[in-house]
Amino acid sequence: MNQEDKPQPGVSLIADFDGDIAELLATEIPQTLPLLPVRNMMLFPGVLSSVMVSRESSLAVVKRAAKDNSLFAVATQKDAAVEQPDESDLYPIAVAARVMRVLELPGGITSVILQSFGRCKVGKITRRTPVTRINVSSLPDTLPPTDSKEYSALVDECRDAAVRFLKLGDTQHEEAVFAIRNIKHDVFTVNFLCTNLPFTLEEKASLLAIDDNVERAYALLTLLNRACQFATLKRNIQNQTREELDQQQKEYFLQQQIKNIQNELGESENKDAQELREKLAGKNLSEKMRTLLDKEIDKLNRISPQTPDYNVQLNYLETIATLPWGELTKDKLNIKTARRVLDQNHFGMERVKERILEYLASLLYRGDRRAPILCLYGPPGVGKTSLGRSIAEAIGRKYVRMSLGGIHDEAEIRGHRRTYIGAMPGRIVKSLIKAGTDNPVFVLDEIDKVTDSNINGDPQSALLEVLDPEQNSAFHDNFLDLDYNLSNVFFIATANSLQTIPAPLLDRMEVIEVEGYLTEEKKEIARRHLIPREATNYNEDFARSLKFSPESIEHIIEKYTRESGVRQLEKQIGKIYRKIALERSMQSEEEAAQGVQKLKPADIGRLLGKPIYCRDKYQGNDYAGVVTGLAWTAVGGEILFIETSVSRSKAAKLTLTGNLGDVMKESAVLALEYIRAHAASLGIDYRVFDHWGLHVHVPEGATPKDGPSAGITIATSIASALTQRKVKAGIAMTGEITLRGRVLPVGGIKEKILAAKRAGITEIIISEDNCKDIDDIAAQYLNGLTFHFVKDVDEVLRIALLNERPKNAIELTIDDDDAPASGKAEENQSGKAVAARLLKP
């Protein structure tokens, strides 16, 4: 939520105004002004203030006022959560102001320095665009006489009370005290204090509503005296607490003396210290580190076990002693074995497997064993997290996982400082203690769901040190207060999206996309992994008696799941096992023992109920203007139909329906412009566009659709509708078009080709630049398909359009009355042959 925050200390200043105060406050205020609503602050007449502006509507007001040097009304919101306030959401009194300076700050935030003038009463909002304007009525201020000794003394009391209040606070305010002492004009002094002191908005609103400056000063002094009383009471409570802490300190020193006496008597160190020295003796520590830890153990000996500090120190040393300092597991460098383990546990994912094998192979020929830092991103359920466990198994390392979803505290990564009660190390250190080695496979799960900077620090920035190969050799945990080497850890981060990962963090990782599975791949995963895993939950006789046919597995995938991964597929398989178990439990023993039961698609419908999803099938070429396109979705490829119809219209009109996005709408406009520009070569009379309207529709209007890949499909559909020529049977297409008619490559070719094959398509038109994508697809998926690689739309139309009209062809005639007067004579001569001439193939 965008907010205008309260001004920072020291940014509200007194105007350097050399003229009469009455002249500034009497500045003429128009009856209607642009409105700048602010939150958590309130301006008073004559004061310069800095305001953070980030709302679009507020930025528009500021930019226009800065350009025109014009006045605008600054009103305070009652509720800071309201994004577009009405009159009822504002305090009734505002001030007129001008922009003195505009500052652009990092993070896209604009800071504006405002000079406030006289007060005004808030009226009705007259309009919202291009900027919000509001009716106002000027409110005059009653100034005291210039020689009023009473007012001068009153302002001096306010000044002294303000300084006293600031000095009673927890922080130093030398600059604020200096500013208050050096304000010479009494009226400005009062308004400055009203603006900047931490009163509530209701209290400030009551001060701003007072017309008489003398009465305002008295009201200000009342609030200041009350604030000083509260600050004094707070100070007394703090002093009392400090005295109690001093008593505890005294007891601590006495206990230390007792400990020293015990040492003089020759008493040995306590049992905890002895155990710690034994543990650290077997650790691979440097001499510097060992000396430092010996001093910490000596410190533990000097602390009485009855004090709270003893447990803090003991916990610290035990954490250090349990860390695996330099303890490394030996990597399994057998590449064939690693490949077999990865293939056994995961189907597909060839790029990820290849990268792991590259790392293992490189270890055979180099001395540096620094591990890579990978980021696997892709849709949910494709096996990113479980892949980390398989990698650990393949290379013989320990496996630890740390879920980063929802982490909002930097201390979760770096740990807490030991000065805090209940301090503990960060989760990185705790995970290494759990692993017991310095080189585990460490999965940072859901790294894209770490919250950004907040009051508890910035966890994303803390991860920069963890994942930077140049820094993580000396990772600093706040609890340990020591540098720890993470360079041997094999970090694998997982994410569903890269959009929420900061660029500096993303730059430190090697990003590998884990794509969603195709239907063919899901069938193999179900056969090799999901069904055998579910069968292990049942006894051996039951598991052997239940088999799935390939058709039944595909039926489950196509009709009961719609996902990129296989989680829903696994749930449906588990449901089938439970249904079968229920059926057999209600049968007699003889019926239940009837051999092997092989499930077919009909059995799936009986067990899981009616299908939840369905895929489109090719619908033939009986109608002009209906063309089959290919689309990519997050759950695989789909075919979609582009339908174009023509109807009489008095003006050229293109109607687009089907929940289309902006890019897809632009593709339709480009397609129409291309057909219009090449009407002659298609045998279309140019007058058709003036007397016939086009309606392009993409079915399944509830599903949003966008992207440029339907460009050639829309162009073919429009051309077919205007020429009333059939589209070639069994053909589908995908490709982006330009205004010149070039066909550009698109993505998702593999998914689209498999979707076309499932739908019964036999020919596919794609850009010639997509030819390289075909080479990456297994030959078994391409059998029975013919590809046409094209450069421009003309090639597409020559391949896709037949010289044949459908049975229900529409005659796109042009009546004589519709033709221009200059051309009526010629049209009358050939009016009867217009339709045949227009639709010539």
Side-chain angles (χ1 to χ4, degrees):
M1 180 177 67
N2 296 331
Q3 293 191 20
E4 282 75 27
D5 301 321
K6 62 173 70 174
Q8 299 176 353
V11 297
S12 292
L13 306 172
I14 294 304
D16 186 13
F17 186 71
D18 297 327
D20 189 2
I21 179 61
E23 181 181 342
L24 185 143
L25 298 179
T27 300
E28 183 177 356
I29 301 175
Q31 294 182 351
T32 303
L33 289 175
L35 173 64
L36 176 65
V38 296
R39 300 181 174 106
N40 306 320
M41 65 179 296
M42 188 170 292
L43 270 61
F44 280 72
V47 179
L48 274 174
S49 295
S50 176
V51 179
M52 298 286 193
V53 179
S54 56
R55 284 185 286 196
E56 293 295 333
S57 57
S58 299
L59 286 171
V61 172
V62 168
K63 290 179 180 178
R64 175 170 292 191
K67 181 179 179 181
D68 301 336
N69 192 28
S70 57
L71 290 173
F72 55 93
V74 181
T76 302
Q77 293 181 206
K78 297 177 181 178
D79 184 1
V82 177
E83 282 295 320
Q84 192 172 12
D86 294 320
E87 307 90 356
S88 59
D89 299 318
L90 304 173
Y91 284 98
I93 308 299
V95 295
R98 279 197 178 98
V99 175
M100 304 300 292
R101 190 174 180 184
V102 178
L103 303 173
E104 298 294 338
L105 302 179
I109 299 175
T110 303
S111 178
V112 185
I113 299 177
L114 304 179
Q115 168 67 67
S116 56
F117 292 88
R119 300 178 305 133
C120 55
K121 185 176 180 60
V122 173
K124 295 288 185 181
I125 292 178
T126 58
R127 66 180 181 183
R128 292 285 185 183
T129 56
V131 297
T132 304
R133 298 188 67 88
I134 192 168
N135 290 331
V136 297
S137 55
S138 179
L139 295 175
D141 277 41
T142 303
L143 299 176
T146 56
D147 56 350
S148 174
K149 294 183 179 180
E150 176 194 0
Y151 188 72
S152 296
L154 179 59
V155 173
D156 287 340
E157 284 294 325
C158 291
R159 189 180 287 112
D160 293 338
V163 172
R164 188 166 62 254
F165 170 76
L166 292 175
K167 290 183 177 180
L168 287 170
D170 295 331
T171 57
Q172 299 296 323
H173 295 281
E174 289 84 2
E175 293 181 3
V177 172
F178 178 82
I180 294 172
R181 294 292 191 192
N182 287 273
I183 300 174
K184 298 179 180 179
H185 203 290
D186 292 341
V187 174
F188 282 150
T189 300
V190 172
N191 288 343
F192 177 82
L193 296 177
C194 292
T195 300
N196 290 281
L197 290 179
F199 302 138
T200 65
L201 289 178
E202 288 76 16
E203 291 170 342
K204 290 188 177 184
S206 65
L207 292 173
L208 186 61
I210 300 175
D211 298 329
D212 192 313
N213 275 267
V214 177
E215 294 182 7
R216 186 181 299 165
Y218 273 113
L220 172 62
L221 183 58
T222 301
L223 293 176
L224 281 171
N225 287 331
R226 187 191 66 183
C228 288
Q229 291 175 1
F230 282 128
T232 302
L233 180 61
K234 181 180 178 181
R235 175 66 63 85
N236 292 337
I237 294 173
Q238 291 177 345
N239 291 336
Q240 184 179 357
T241 305
R242 188 174 296 111
E243 291 175 359
E244 294 175 358
L245 292 175
D246 291 342
Q247 179 63 27
Q248 294 178 1
Q249 193 73 13
K250 179 181 178 181
E251 294 175 357
Y252 168 76
F253 284 125
L254 291 174
Q255 291 167 351
Q256 286 296 99
Q257 291 179 358
I258 295 173
K259 183 66 176 177
N260 292 334
I261 293 172
Q262 292 174 345
N263 290 336
E264 290 294 330
L265 293 174
E267 295 182 3
S268 60
E269 64 182 8
N270 61 45
K271 183 178 179 180
D272 291 331
Q274 291 177 355
E275 291 178 353
L276 287 170
R277 291 190 192 277
E278 292 174 2
K279 288 181 180 179
L280 292 173
K283 298 294 182 180
N284 185 17
L285 299 173
S286 64
E287 289 299 323
K288 182 179 178 181
M289 183 69 67
R290 197 172 295 279
T291 301
L292 177 63
L293 294 178
D294 284 340
K295 290 181 179 179
E296 292 292 336
I297 295 176
D298 292 339
K299 181 180 177 181
L300 178 69
N301 273 320
R302 293 193 298 269
I303 302 175
S304 173
Q306 285 74 34
T307 62
D309 289 342
Y310 181 86
N311 288 325
V312 173
Q313 183 72 0
L314 179 61
N315 180 42
Y316 168 66
L317 290 170
E318 285 180 341
T319 301
I320 293 177
T322 52
L323 275 169
W325 295 92
E327 298 178 18
L328 305 176
T329 55
K330 187 176 180 180
D331 291 335
K332 297 178 182 178
L333 299 181
N334 190 319
I335 307 301
K336 293 182 179 179
T337 301
R339 178 76 194 196
R340 185 175 65 252
V341 172
L342 292 174
D343 288 340
Q344 180 180 347
N345 294 339
H346 291 272
F347 182 81
M349 297 187 178
E350 295 303 324
R351 283 191 293 175
V352 185
K353 294 177 182 176
E354 182 179 1
R355 181 64 183 88
I356 303 305
L357 296 177
E358 287 174 359
Y359 167 66
L360 292 179
S362 67
L363 292 180
L364 295 172
Y365 303 101
R366 71 179 191 185
D368 180 16
R369 300 208 167 203
R370 179 171 292 181
I373 299 175
L374 307 182
C375 177
L376 310 180
Y377 83 96
V382 295
K384 300 183 297 295
T385 304
S386 60
L387 184 62
R389 189 181 297 276
S390 297
I391 293 173
E393 180 183 352
I395 63 179
R397 292 193 182 187
K398 296 293 182 66
Y399 169 81
V400 288
R401 172 183 166 272
M402 174 179 170
S403 178
L404 298 176
I407 284 185
H408 61 278
D409 191 348
E410 181 182 338
E412 293 280 345
I413 309 296
R414 295 184 183 274
H416 304 82
R417 289 179 175 83
R418 283 184 290 151
T419 53
Y420 297 108
I421 297 175
M424 62 181 65
R427 295 177 63 184
I428 299 291
V429 170
K430 288 195 288 187
S431 296
L432 289 176
I433 293 174
K434 179 181 177 182
T437 65
D438 260 355
N439 63 338
V441 174
F442 200 129
V443 174
L444 298 171
D445 209 7
E446 310 291 354
I447 196 172
D448 57 327
K449 297 175 180 60
V450 180
T451 57
D452 54 6
S453 180
N454 58 72
I455 193 173
N456 295 317
D458 190 352
Q460 292 179 338
S461 297
L463 286 171
L464 292 178
E465 183 182 4
V466 176
L467 299 179
D468 191 338
E470 301 300 325
Q471 300 182 46
N472 64 8
S473 59
F475 172 69
H476 189 85
D477 185 274
N478 291 329
F479 180 81
L480 299 181
D481 201 21
L482 301 170
D483 291 338
Y484 196 86
N485 184 10
L486 298 179
S487 61
N488 295 314
V489 179
F490 193 155
F491 285 107
I492 301 176
T494 69
N496 296 129
S497 171
L498 301 181
Q499 303 300 319
T500 56
I501 303 178
L505 183 58
L506 198 61
D507 184 61
R508 284 161 169 79
M509 301 183 289
E510 183 179 341
V511 178
I512 301 177
E513 182 181 5
V514 182
E515 300 173 344
Y517 295 116
L518 306 174
T519 298
E520 288 71 12
E521 293 172 332
K522 290 180 182 179
K523 288 166 62 177
E524 287 298 317
I525 293 172
R527 185 180 64 83
R528 297 185 186 183
H529 301 286
L530 303 184
I531 295 175
R533 186 184 343 180
E534 184 65 28
T536 58
N537 297 326
Y538 297 83
N539 61 49
E540 188 175 350
D541 292 337
F542 183 90
R544 287 180 176 178
S545 65
L546 186 61
K547 302 294 182 181
F548 288 78
S549 66
E551 295 79 10
S552 65
I553 298 176
E554 183 174 354
H555 189 74
I556 299 172
I557 296 169
E558 297 289 340
K559 302 298 183 181
Y560 296 93
T561 66
R562 184 63 59 89
E563 58 178 344
S564 300
V566 292
R567 284 195 181 126
Q568 294 301 321
L569 176 58
E570 185 175 15
K571 292 178 182 178
Q572 296 296 341
I573 291 173
K575 185 177 180 180
I576 290 174
Y577 268 88
R578 294 193 300 272
K579 290 284 188 180
I580 296 293
L582 177 61
E583 287 183 351
R584 293 187 181 180
S585 65
M586 301 179 69
Q587 296 173 349
S588 64
E589 294 183 3
E590 294 180 357
E591 292 175 333
Q594 289 180 354
V596 176
Q597 180 180 1
K598 190 169 185 178
L599 297 179
K600 298 179 180 179
D603 299 318
I604 301 300
R606 173 176 57 82
L607 295 169
L608 297 182
K610 294 182 179 179
I612 303 174
Y613 307 103
C614 63
R615 291 189 182 273
D616 292 325
K617 292 294 183 182
Y618 179 66
Q619 297 179 356
N621 64 339
D622 295 334
Y623 299 91
V626 180
V627 184
T628 305
L630 301 175
W632 179 92
T633 70
V635 295
E638 296 281 354
I639 66 169
L640 79 165
F641 303 102
I642 306 293
E643 303 175 350
T644 301
S645 66
V646 292
S647 59
R648 281 196 173 275
S649 176
K650 293 184 179 180
K653 183 179 180 182
L654 174 63
T655 303
L656 303 173
T657 56
N659 201 352
L660 309 183
D662 292 338
V663 177
M664 199 166 182
K665 290 179 180 178
E666 291 172 359
S667 296
V669 174
L670 285 173
L672 177 58
E673 289 302 317
Y674 179 85
I675 299 300
R676 190 197 300 268
H678 296 77
S681 62
L682 294 171
I684 304 173
D685 193 296
Y686 72 92
R687 292 171 295 177
V688 169
F689 298 99
D690 296 328
H691 301 289
W692 289 80
L694 289 169
H695 186 155
V696 179
H697 176 68
V698 184
E700 297 188 22
T703 304
K705 310 167 192 71
D706 204 2
S709 63
I712 62 173
T713 314
I714 297 174
T716 306
S717 177
I718 293 175
S720 173
L722 291 175
T723 60
Q724 290 295 295
R725 292 164 62 182
K726 275 188 175 184
V727 178
K728 191 174 183 180
I731 196 167
M733 59 193 71
T734 181
E736 180 181 356
I737 63 170
T738 68
L739 195 57
R740 295 175 295 162
R742 286 197 58 206
V743 180
L744 303 181
V746 294
I749 294 297
K750 182 178 180 181
E751 291 83 354
K752 292 176 180 179
I753 289 175
L754 293 175
K757 190 172 182 179
R758 285 194 300 266
I761 299 296
T762 57
E763 297 183 52
I764 298 176
I765 301 176
I766 57 176
S767 169
E768 66 175 3
D769 293 330
N770 281 124
C771 182
K772 61 183 185 299
D773 299 308
I774 303 298
D775 298 335
D776 295 333
I777 302 175
Q780 65 191 55
Y781 300 144
L782 304 179
N783 293 335
L785 293 176
T786 301
F787 292 93
H788 301 280
F789 301 103
V790 297
K791 293 182 179 179
D792 52 45
V793 178
D794 283 342
E795 292 184 57
V796 176
L797 298 181
R798 283 197 299 271
I799 297 170
L801 295 183
L802 303 174
N803 293 327
E804 181 181 348
R805 293 161 61 86
K807 295 180 180 180
N808 57 346
I810 301 174
E811 301 294 337
L812 273 69
T813 58
I814 300 175
D815 295 337
D816 291 342
D817 294 338
D818 295 334
S822 60
K824 280 188 177 181
E826 297 178 5
E827 292 172 18
N828 288 337
Q829 296 175 4
S830 56
K832 295 181 179 180
V834 167
R837 179 164 50 83
L838 294 183
L839 304 178
K840 178 177 62 178

